[in-house]
């Protein structure tokens, strides 16, 4: 059954969280004198049950791509659901975005959700418990803590898949910057080649403010020019004190800063959004480990040893300008 929790602070910021996919269903902030929806979402949360776009969802156990929908770990080959051509995306058909979590705790400024999966239930090894904790503070920061525990070695790479619009109808007039100087080169099916692309090949300096529409329309990197951005960027900052991504609506006078302890971020300009939405309606900043790390030995590992805990800290900080 669909359940929700509403987080509020004294600034009037409101965040609605659903137990279905541990999702962010809504973020509303005071922007330019009016409360506005910051995300791409459905007016009726029940419509999330038919969502195909991972709106606001926690993705995993392993987000992004796994090539050939398979991986080897400790001498065992694990075959997963091929739900993206020949590959696995966001954990396959039985992924955690499309499951009902237990709303274990709900308070005015905090919600805790839990999900238990058994060994091989979804193709991945280990009896696992996933916990997502949302906290809203008085500075308009939404803090998200994702943890996972397993009784045996297993891969974990969780992310949040919120589409941000900052109250605008599309992302073209938003401005952004990333704390990154390179991204993973990828094939046409989204699988990394193992090589890196210098951000200078886009014709833009990512650490400088760019209008999203200009970045997409005038990009010198052919793949981004033709398809939009849907790439895994390697983050420079190794601290939670510096934002890894920032997004601004000059129209509504509000800024989003994304803080994360993860080494990469999939930035996605929502090319595949469709009815009732439109392509380019939101921008995703998916904090995570490297895409396809399970099959790319040179990438940082996403394997968590049995008895150890996976932990991912993520903050969405909103600020009126």
């Amino acid at each position: 059954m669909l359940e929700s929790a509403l987080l509020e602070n004294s600034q009037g910021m409101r965040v609605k969280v659903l137990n279905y996919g541990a999702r962010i269903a809504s973020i509303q902030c005071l922007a330019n004198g009016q409360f506005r929806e910051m995300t791409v979402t459905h007016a009726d949360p029940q419509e999330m049950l038919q969502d195909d776009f991972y709106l606001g969802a926690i993705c995993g156990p392993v987000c992004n791509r796994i090539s050939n929908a398979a991986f080897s770990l400790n001498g065992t080959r694990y075959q997963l659901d091929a739900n993206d051509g020949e590959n696995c995306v966001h954990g396959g058909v039985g992924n955690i975005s499309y499951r009902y979590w237990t709303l274990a705790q709900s308070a005015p400024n905090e919600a805790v959700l839990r999900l238990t999966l058994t060994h091989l239930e979804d193709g991945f090894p280990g009896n696992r418990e996933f916990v997502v904790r949302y906290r809203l503070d008085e500075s308009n920061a939404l803090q998200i803590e994702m943890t996972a525990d397993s009784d045996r070695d297993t891969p974990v790479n969780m992310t949040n898949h919120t589409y941000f619009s900052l109250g605008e109808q599309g992302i073209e007039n938003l401005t952004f910057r990333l704390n990154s100087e390179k991204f993973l080169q990828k094939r046409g099916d989204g699988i990394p080649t193992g090589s890196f692309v210098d951000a200078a090949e886009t014709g833009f300096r990512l650490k400088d403010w760019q209008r999203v529409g200009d970045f997409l329309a005038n990009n010198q990197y052919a793949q981004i020019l033709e398809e939009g951005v849907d790439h895994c960027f390697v983050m420079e900052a190794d601290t939670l004190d510096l934002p890894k991504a920032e997004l601004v609506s000059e129209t509504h006078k509000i800024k989003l800063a994304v803080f994360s302890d993860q080494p990469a971020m999939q930035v996605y300009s929502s090319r595949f959004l469709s009815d009732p939405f439109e392509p380019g309606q939101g921008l995703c900043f998916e904090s995570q480990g490297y895409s396809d790390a399970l099959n790319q030995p040179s990438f940082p590992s996403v394997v968590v040893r049995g008895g150890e805990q996976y932990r991912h800290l993520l903050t969405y900080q909103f600020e009126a300008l």
Side-chain angles (χ1 to χ4, degrees):
M1 185 175 73
L2 188 64
E3 295 180 302
S4 65
L6 182 64
L7 314 184
E8 298 180 275
N9 66 14
S10 63
Q11 312 302 313
M13 183 172 168
R14 297 187 291 268
V15 178
K16 181 178 286 188
V17 174
L18 303 181
N19 66 330
Y20 182 66
R23 295 168 184 250
I24 296 173
S26 173
I27 300 175
Q28 294 185 357
C29 289
L30 185 63
N32 205 15
Q34 183 176 333
F35 283 100
R36 303 179 192 274
E37 178 60 50
M38 297 288 102
T39 74
V40 178
T41 190
H42 293 284
D44 181 359
Q46 288 286 339
E47 295 184 40
M48 285 290 196
L49 302 181
Q50 283 75 49
D51 168 61
D52 291 326
F53 308 117
Y54 298 92
L55 295 175
I58 296 293
C59 299
V62 177
C63 68
N64 217 321
R65 275 75 178 173
I66 300 174
S67 56
N68 300 312
F71 67 96
S72 295
L73 179 61
N74 298 337
T76 299
R77 186 74 170 166
Y78 295 93
Q79 189 66 47
L80 308 169
D81 298 315
N83 63 334
D84 185 41
E86 296 179 352
N87 307 309
C88 177
V89 68
H90 293 325
V93 175
N95 66 64
I96 64 178
S97 303
Y98 295 109
R99 291 178 182 262
Y100 286 98
W101 295 54
T102 298
L103 183 57
Q105 181 179 334
S106 180
N109 67 340
E110 184 176 37
V112 180
L113 301 106
R114 297 179 182 274
L115 176 69
T116 300
L117 296 180
T118 58
H119 177 57
L120 300 181
E121 175 182 349
D122 54 349
F124 291 92
N127 296 301
R128 291 147 292 150
E129 183 181 47
F130 302 90
V131 178
V132 175
R133 184 184 302 270
Y134 289 99
R135 296 187 190 94
L136 178 62
D137 71 15
E138 290 300 313
S139 71
N140 284 353
L142 177 62
Q143 302 163 356
I144 308 172
E145 180 188 55
M146 300 169 242
T147 62
D149 293 277
S150 174
D151 62 357
R152 68 180 74 194
D153 296 359
T154 194
V156 184
N157 186 18
M158 299 167 70
T159 195
N160 177 260
H161 206 289
T162 298
Y163 294 75
F164 292 100
S165 64
L166 303 190
E168 301 206 18
Q169 294 302 306
I171 59 177
E172 295 85 357
N173 292 319
L174 300 176
T175 56
F176 81 107
R177 64 181 177 182
L178 302 176
N179 199 340
S180 174
E181 294 184 347
K182 61 183 177 181
F183 55 92
L184 304 188
Q185 185 185 68
K186 66 172 188 173
R187 307 182 321 211
D189 62 356
I191 299 298
T193 66
S195 298
F196 297 88
V197 179
D198 191 311
E201 291 192 33
T202 66
F204 294 86
R205 188 175 185 273
L206 298 180
K207 293 182 179 181
D208 292 340
W209 288 102
Q210 316 289 346
R211 180 176 171 273
V212 175
D214 293 339
F215 183 78
L216 298 177
N218 302 318
N219 209 286
Q220 294 177 15
Y221 193 70
Q223 202 174 49
I224 294 178
L225 180 65
E226 294 166 7
E227 303 175 3
V229 64
D230 190 8
H231 294 73
C232 191
F233 289 82
V234 178
M235 293 289 105
E236 291 283 301
D238 58 359
T239 171
L240 282 165
D241 296 331
L242 296 173
K244 294 192 172 177
E246 294 171 281
L247 186 67
V248 164
S249 166
E250 295 290 352
T251 302
H252 297 318
K253 306 298 181 188
I254 193 157
K255 180 173 81 170
L256 163 68
V258 182
F259 298 85
S260 158
D261 63 356
Q262 297 298 292
M265 180 178 286
Q266 187 84 7
V267 181
Y268 173 45
S269 58
S270 63
R271 173 193 178 201
F272 294 109
L273 276 184
S274 59
D275 188 65
F277 308 108
E278 295 181 359
Q281 195 170 337
L283 193 61
C284 297
F285 298 108
E286 304 166 46
S287 166
Q288 60 189 257
Y290 287 27
S291 178
D292 198 36
L294 283 171
N295 294 311
Q296 309 263 356
S298 64
F299 290 174
S301 175
V302 296
V303 173
V304 179
R305 299 301 171 190
E308 296 182 358
Q309 185 177 69
Y310 166 89
R311 189 166 182 251
H312 175 170
L313 299 178
L314 170 64
T315 297
Y316 296 136
Q317 172 80 61
F318 293 87
E319 178 186 355
L321 300 177

